[in-house]
Amino acid sequence: MTVKKLTLKAVTFAGLVTSTLLIAQSANAAKFDFSYSAEGLYADGVLTATNLGDGKYQVTDIVGERNGASISSLIPPGLFNNDNLIFPFQGKVVDSQGFAYQVGNNVSVFSSASGYKDFSLNPDRTTTSTDDFGATEHRRVW
């Protein structure tokens, strides 16, 4: 009998530790509404990101649309010269590497000296410039 109780307590404790770790990990997650537009281009959605400290966030997921087409996935860092970092509370929301996603083709959003860029890896490799890029903390409306 004693062994069974000890085993049950150990399993319960392990489950409690696992639950606590999951809650702690999700406490660092944040969601940001984003949007940008230029002539012939409009994109918006929600970025899920992990707080890395010092105003820097690592984007881990994306949902949204670009010109009416659903964004299908976030491209992992480095595959499209992207780092998937955002800085929502600083001057530039994305850095020169930016974040990348798939929406029928690969798209990279990054900043440059002349503003924000949307680079689409379609057959003609279109780059669109925009000064109209925003990311704000996502608020749930109940």
Side-chain angles (χ1 to χ4, degrees), residues 35-51:
S35 66
Y36 61 94
S37 61
E39 187 174 331
L41 172 66
Y42 182 79
D44 71 341
V46 178
L47 301 170
T48 302
T50 301
N51 186 346

Side-chain angles (χ1 to χ4, degrees), residues 3 14 20 29 38 40 43 46 48 50 58 62 64 67 69 80-81 83 89 115 120-122 126:
V3 174
T20 303
V46 178
T48 302
T50 301
Q58 179 76 55
I62 186 172
N67 288 345
F80 200 50
N81 194 34
D83 58 15
F89 306 111
S120 178
L121 189 59
N122 55 22
T126 306

Side-chain angles (χ1 to χ4, degrees), residues 95-111:
D95 59 12
S96 61
Q97 291 181 284
F99 64 92
Y101 59 88
Q102 290 183 321
V103 58
N105 56 325
N106 295 335
V107 175
S108 179
V109 179
F110 57 94
S111 65

Side-chain angles (χ1 to χ4, degrees), residues 50-57 90:
T50 301
N51 186 346
L52 301 177
D54 295 326
K56 180 171 34 174
Y57 290 78
Q90 297 179 17

Side-chain angles (χ1 to χ4, degrees), residues 8-75:
L8 181 58
K9 285 182 182 179
V11 170
T12 302
F13 178 72
L16 180 62
V17 170
T18 302
S19 297
T20 303
L21 289 174
L22 289 174
I23 291 168
Q25 285 178 342
S26 65
N28 283 337
K31 292 186 183 281
F32 298 94
D33 295 317
F34 78 93
S35 66
Y36 61 94
S37 61
E39 187 174 331
L41 172 66
Y42 182 79
D44 71 341
V46 178
L47 301 170
T48 302
T50 301
N51 186 346
L52 301 177
D54 295 326
K56 180 171 34 174
Y57 290 78
Q58 179 76 55
V59 178
T60 57
D61 194 23
I62 186 172
V63 294
E65 292 185 342
R66 181 178 183 272
N67 288 345
S70 293
I71 295 172
S72 58
S73 65
L74 183 69
I75 296 173

Side-chain angles (χ1 to χ4, degrees), residues 120-142:
S120 178
L121 189 59
N122 55 22
D124 56 347
R125 297 181 180 266
T126 306
T127 302
T128 304
S129 298
T130 180
D131 290 325
D132 182 26
F133 184 95
T136 57
E137 198 164 359
H138 181 71
R139 303 281 186 207
R140 282 193 182 180
V141 180
W142 299 101

